[in-house]
């Protein structure tokens, strides 16, 4: 039953008026010292619920004039809070709507039986509620809903207790009004009034943090300044009202095309800034810049007639290539933007000329690699991994070469670093893996009994669908034994997303695919990775092998070999170029070697001939190993 005026029970029942008064004084004293609204609400609402013997309370705030929205909770069932936090419903519905319309408390002792009951709350277990309108002065801001879930409320509520709850609701209304004023002041201080975008102050606070994060994570941060080409003509020909609507449209377009983690800000006039954070390569930065240029190429008109075309000039500077303070970074990007504007606009350009050349070269190589893939210019070569004790090959590493029509046969160092992280790099990686699987299947049919390792770039491994693509390749080549396929990854790949890479390794390990940690010892946490991941082998970096003449470096290599032995994983030393290095490594317990001393990388047919020739390594007695 709904009561607009909760009935008073016997005044003699319950606590004495003096005790009630003392409690109210104590609560008011606590609230008067509390500035944090969330804590203020929790204490006031908790006091109101305890006073009535209820489970908890919620504040449902007016969102405009037509909707109410759940915002704050205390003491209610977790599932109820999780379901209804930020839930909106029409402001005229239910006991909340009745309380707002009447301006007085509304009590439902049996909520399910009330004609104001909302079915979803009955289903959620609400048994009783008291809804008190919340005002800030004469302005309604919402309602305070006191709720019973574990039991029903008494048949009636003491009038004096309800009066105390009304006082607490009034205090909550005043505090909430103060919160809104503070938020409005903050918005005015940190956000542009016309577009709602962060302003210069907010941008610089974020930029300071972005540069700190960039230094810690060794990632790139880009500052992009953009200016609208033709905005002055819009204001002059179509008026400032149209110009303001255009700026609001531009703000929406920019928010739509940047990444969720990026910030769009307005400095003033038609000048906007995009802060692009946490980038692994300039490719990510350029993808954002290209989307900006495309999004800001549109027509503006009045009355259905196209009047003017808007485009954008975008200037970019990249930290830490441009290792400057925030103000200077913004100035540099602004200078780059004006240079773009001088040459016709409608594109992006860099502040740093050297970086610009580097980007230009990378783009040229990316296009060349794409063309090379289409023309079939890439080749796989195979470098044997030899058991240094028996002199026999036990496996090989697949390495990519580019038979460039003008520059001849090129090793990966001439093109892989420039395309790292790009779509064409992923295409090339898939080509290498597919041909490696096909080669391994051929070796199986020949009964060679060798394994084959393939380097997989971290971006490709972490990208979407790597495991499913490899499964498909293995299905296409049923003769390929997955246990003879080894995927080589570098430690930085694991660092980027340990959990994701760990799950991928586990998934592929179920197929039999094995994983090798390349360049072991160059990172700070390799041992931890070996212990926690399904890594079956390590490769000692060629730099350590080359430096073994130094006693300290030789001791370090010995420690790495010992770690592998202790953890029961294979150990391969790469870059072996002398008999002395072979003997030293074998003497320290590393039998599997790879390097020019053993064999150079060879095309597939030459590799088979090399095997057919019964090649064996010339063995050097271990006693001849240096010191």
């Amino acid at each position: 039953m709904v009561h607009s005026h909760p009935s008073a029970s016997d005044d003699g029942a319950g606590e004495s008026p003096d005790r009630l008064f003392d409690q109210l004084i104590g609560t008011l004293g606590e609230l008067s010292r509390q500035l944090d609204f969330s804590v203020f609400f929790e204490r006031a609402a908790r006091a109101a619920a305890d006073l009535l013997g209820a489970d908890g309370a919620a504040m449902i705030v007016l969102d405009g004039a037509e909707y109410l929205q759940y915002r704050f909770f205390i003491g209610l069932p977790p599932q109820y809070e999780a379901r209804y936090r930020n839930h909106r419903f029409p402001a005229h519905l239910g006991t909340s709507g009745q309380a707002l319309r009447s301006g007085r408390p509304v009590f439902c002792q049996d909520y399910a039986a009330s004609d104001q009951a909302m079915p979803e709350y009955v289903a959620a277990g609400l048994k009783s509620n008291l809804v008190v309108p919340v005002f800030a002065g004469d302005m309604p801001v919402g309602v305070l809903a006191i709720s019973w879930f574990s039991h029903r409320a008494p048949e009636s509520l003491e009038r004096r207790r309800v009066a105390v709850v009304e006082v607490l609701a009034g205090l909550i209304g005043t505090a909430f009004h103060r919160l809104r004023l503070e938020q409005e002041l903050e918005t005015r201080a940190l956000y542009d009034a016309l577009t709602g975008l962060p302003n210069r102050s907010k941008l610089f606070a974020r930029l300071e943090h972005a540069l700190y994060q960039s230094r810690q994570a060794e990632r790139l941060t880009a500052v992009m300044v953009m200016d609208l080409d033709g905005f002055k003509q819009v204001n002059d020909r179509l008026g400032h009202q149209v110009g303001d609507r255009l700026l609001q449209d531009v703000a929406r377009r920019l928010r739509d095309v940047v990444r969720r983690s990026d910030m769009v800000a307005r400095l003033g006039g038609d000048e906007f800034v995009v802060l692009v954070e946490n980038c692994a390569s300039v490719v990510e930065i350029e993808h954002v810049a290209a989307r900006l240029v495309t999004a800001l190429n549109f027509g503006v008109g009045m009355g259905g007639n196209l009047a003017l075309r808007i485009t954008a000039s975008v200037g970019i500077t990249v930290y830490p290539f441009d290792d400057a303070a925030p103000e200077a970074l913004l100035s540099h990007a602004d200078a780059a933007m004006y240079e773009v504007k001088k040459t016709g606009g409608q594109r992006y350009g860099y502040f740093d000329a050297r970086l610009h050349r580097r980007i230009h070269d990378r783009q040229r190589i990316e296009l060349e690699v794409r063309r090379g893939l289409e023309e079939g210019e890439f080749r796989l070569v195979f470098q044997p991994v030899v058991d240094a004790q028996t002199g026999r090959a036990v496996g090989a590493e697949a390495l990519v070469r580019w038979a460039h029509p003008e520059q001849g046969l090129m090793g990966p160092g001439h093109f892989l670093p420039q395309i790292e992280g790009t779509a064409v790099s992923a295409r090339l990686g898939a080509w290498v893996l597919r041909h490696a699987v096909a080669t391994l299947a051929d070796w199986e049919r020949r009964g060679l009994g060798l394994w084959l390792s393939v380097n997989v770039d971290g971006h490709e491994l972490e990208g979407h669908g790597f495991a499913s693509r490899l499964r498909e390749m293995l299905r296409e080549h049923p003769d390929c034994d997955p246990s003879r396929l080894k995927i080589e990854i570098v430690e930085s790949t694991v660092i980027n997303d340990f959990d994701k890479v760990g799950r991928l390794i586990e998934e592929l390990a179920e197929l039999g695919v094995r994983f090798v940690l390349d360049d072991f010892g160059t990172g700070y946490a390799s041992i931890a990775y070996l212990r926690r991941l399904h890594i079956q082998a390590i490769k000692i970096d060629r730099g350590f092998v080359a430096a073994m003449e130094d006693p300290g470096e030789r001791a370090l290599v010995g420690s790495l070999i010992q770690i592998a032995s202790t953890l029961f994983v294979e150990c391969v030393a790469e870059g072996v170029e002398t008999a002395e290095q072979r003997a030293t490594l074998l003497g320290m317990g590393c039998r599997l070697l790879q390097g020019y001393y053993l064999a150079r990388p060879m095309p597939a047919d030459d590799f088979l001939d090399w095997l057919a020739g019964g090649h064996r390594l010339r063995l050097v007695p271990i006693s001849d190993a240096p010191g």
Side-chain angles (χ1 to χ4, degrees):
M1 181 175 180
V2 179
H3 302 279
S4 295
H5 304 279
S7 300
S9 63
D10 182 6
D11 283 345
E15 299 177 66
S16 68
D18 288 342
R19 176 68 179 271
L20 198 63
F21 184 76
D22 289 343
Q23 288 179 341
L24 179 60
I25 290 294
T27 299
L28 294 177
E30 287 184 17
L31 294 177
S32 67
R33 295 187 293 274
Q34 183 53 245
L35 297 178
D36 185 312
F37 177 77
S38 295
V39 178
F40 186 101
F41 169 80
E42 289 176 5
R43 292 183 177 175
R46 181 76 271 171
D50 288 348
L51 188 64
L52 300 178
D55 292 302
M59 184 173 179
I60 313 174
V61 177
L62 273 170
D63 182 6
E66 298 182 357
Y67 288 92
L68 282 163
Q69 182 179 33
Y70 278 88
R71 288 285 301 278
F72 303 96
F73 296 81
I74 181 69
L76 300 184
Q79 64 272 20
Y80 185 90
E81 180 177 340
R83 180 174 179 181
Y84 289 107
R85 181 171 295 279
N86 295 323
H87 172 66
R88 293 169 78 243
F89 61 93
H92 67 277
L93 294 182
T95 51
S96 298
Q98 184 179 353
L100 279 175
R101 288 192 302 274
S102 66
R104 306 176 72 175
V106 174
F107 174 54
C108 283
Q109 194 272 339
D110 185 354
Y111 183 80
S114 167
D115 57 0
Q116 297 292 332
M118 297 172 70
E120 59 266 36
Y121 301 143
V122 176
L126 180 61
K127 292 183 172 60
S128 308
N129 76 340
L130 171 71
V131 182
V132 181
V134 176
F135 292 89
D138 295 329
M139 178 179 65
V141 295
V143 298
L144 177 65
I146 311 293
S147 303
W148 286 258
F149 281 86
S150 60
H151 61 282
R152 283 188 189 173
E155 288 288 339
S156 60
L157 303 176
E158 289 185 89
R159 189 178 303 279
R160 65 171 181 255
R161 293 177 184 270
V162 175
V164 171
V165 171
E166 288 184 271
V167 170
L168 292 170
L171 294 174
I172 289 173
T174 301
F176 185 70
H177 181 62
R178 184 190 67 203
L179 173 68
R180 278 185 164 170
L181 289 177
E182 291 171 353
Q183 290 174 336
E184 184 178 341
L185 289 173
E186 180 183 2
T187 298
R188 290 179 181 178
L190 299 177
Y191 292 88
D192 173 55
L194 178 64
T195 63
L197 295 177
N199 62 15
R200 181 182 290 267
S201 297
K202 182 78 171 175
L203 170 67
F204 274 98
R206 175 76 170 267
L207 181 53
E208 288 275 11
H209 181 260
L211 298 186
Y212 171 78
Q213 292 290 96
S214 188
R215 288 189 292 269
Q216 295 298 308
E218 297 183 355
R219 307 281 276 189
L220 306 180
T221 294
V223 178
M224 302 182 182
V225 172
M226 62 210 68
D227 182 88
L228 301 181
D229 307 321
F231 180 71
K232 185 177 184 301
Q233 289 88 333
V234 172
N235 273 340
D236 292 346
R237 292 172 56 179
L238 304 179
H240 288 279
Q241 193 172 21
V242 175
D244 285 349
R245 288 202 299 270
L246 169 63
L247 293 174
Q248 291 169 337
D249 184 32
V250 167
R252 285 191 292 271
R253 288 170 179 265
L254 293 177
R255 282 192 295 251
D256 285 345
V257 298
V258 299
R259 306 173 310 171
R260 183 174 296 183
S261 59
D262 299 333
M263 171 185 271
V264 181
R266 182 188 177 211
L267 298 185
D270 62 329
E271 196 166 50
F272 295 82
V273 176
V274 173
L275 179 60
V276 183
E277 303 178 53
N278 192 33
C279 293
S281 70
V282 292
V283 177
E284 296 177 54
I285 295 168
E286 292 195 345
H287 285 169
V288 176
R291 290 198 299 269
L292 296 178
V293 172
T294 301
L296 299 186
N297 185 344
F298 60 98
V300 179
M302 286 187 68
N305 297 317
L306 183 63
L308 294 168
R309 175 150 294 279
I310 294 297
T311 58
S313 299
V314 181
I316 307 172
T317 194
V318 181
Y319 180 90
F321 299 120
D322 184 2
D323 188 5
E327 281 282 3
L329 289 173
L330 192 66
S331 177
H332 293 169
D334 194 59
M337 180 269 293
Y338 277 106
E339 286 300 315
V340 170
K341 218 170 179 62
K342 286 179 185 177
T343 58
Q346 199 177 339
R347 64 178 183 87
Y348 61 84
Y350 288 89
F351 167 73
D352 189 330
R354 290 172 299 174
L355 179 60
H356 178 75
R357 286 194 299 271
R358 176 178 164 187
I359 299 302
H360 178 76
D361 290 343
R362 186 198 55 74
Q363 289 175 326
R364 175 182 55 78
I365 292 175
E366 185 178 350
L367 289 172
E368 279 281 287
V369 170
R370 184 176 290 111
R371 182 200 55 74
L373 280 169
E374 293 169 355
E375 297 294 328
E377 295 173 0
F378 286 91
R379 310 280 187 271
L380 284 188
V381 294
F382 305 90
Q383 186 171 31
V385 175
V386 173
D387 184 328
Q389 198 162 31
T390 66
R392 293 187 178 277
V394 295
E397 179 180 1
L399 302 165
V400 66
R401 298 290 186 266
W402 185 3
H404 195 281
E406 297 175 0
Q407 301 181 48
L409 195 65
M410 295 194 300
H414 292 283
F415 54 90
L416 285 186
Q418 291 87 337
I419 64 170
E420 182 181 2
T422 67
V424 74
S425 175
R427 283 183 56 192
L428 179 59
W431 181 92
V432 169
L433 190 57
R434 185 176 299 108
H435 282 74
V437 169
T439 299
L440 191 52
D442 178 62
W443 290 359
E444 285 293 290
R445 289 190 293 271
R446 295 173 183 268
L448 299 183
L450 302 177
W451 50 256
L452 182 61
S453 66
V454 184
N455 289 281
V456 175
D457 175 71
H459 296 283
E460 183 183 359
L461 189 72
E462 296 167 3
H464 177 70
F466 176 82
S468 59
R469 287 195 299 274
L470 180 54
R471 277 200 196 91
E472 182 61 31
M473 293 175 192
L474 291 170
R475 279 195 294 268
E476 291 173 359
H477 299 280
D479 291 329
C480 178
D481 180 354
S483 68
R484 296 191 187 277
L485 178 63
K486 298 187 179 185
I487 304 295
E488 293 192 16
I489 57 174
V490 295
E491 189 166 325
S492 59
T493 298
V494 184
I495 291 173
N496 286 341
D497 194 335
F498 185 93
D499 292 334
K500 182 176 181 180
V501 173
R503 289 192 299 270
L504 180 65
I505 290 176
E506 288 182 4
E507 182 179 354
L508 293 176
E510 292 178 0
L511 298 177
V513 177
R514 307 180 72 183
F515 279 79
V516 179
L517 194 60
D518 198 5
D519 298 340
F520 183 70
T522 59
Y524 70 93
S526 298
I527 298 175
Y529 297 153
L530 286 175
R531 290 175 63 88
R532 294 177 59 187
L533 298 176
H534 292 278
I535 299 291
Q536 286 84 23
I538 63 168
K539 294 189 80 171
I540 298 175
D541 183 65
R542 65 181 62 249
F544 294 139
V545 173
M548 283 195 305
E549 291 183 3
D550 178 88
E553 294 293 328
R554 190 163 59 252
L556 175 58
V557 171
S559 298
L560 299 177
I561 295 170
Q562 185 60 43
I563 289 170
S565 175
T566 302
L567 296 176
F568 302 103
V569 299
E570 285 185 343
C571 181
V572 180
E574 60 182 352
V576 179
E577 299 190 356
T578 67
E580 289 76 15
Q581 290 172 348
R582 172 261 170 193
T584 300
L585 290 164
L586 186 57
M588 289 190 291
C590 181
R591 293 178 54 173
L592 301 184
L593 309 181
Q594 178 182 350
Y596 282 7
Y597 174 70
L598 311 167
R600 290 178 175 270
M602 295 170 273
D605 290 342
D606 292 350
F607 180 78
L608 292 175
D609 291 342
W610 183 84
L611 290 173
H615 174 83
R616 279 195 179 216
L617 177 67
R618 289 177 294 104
L619 300 182
V620 177
I622 296 175
S623 58
D624 291 347

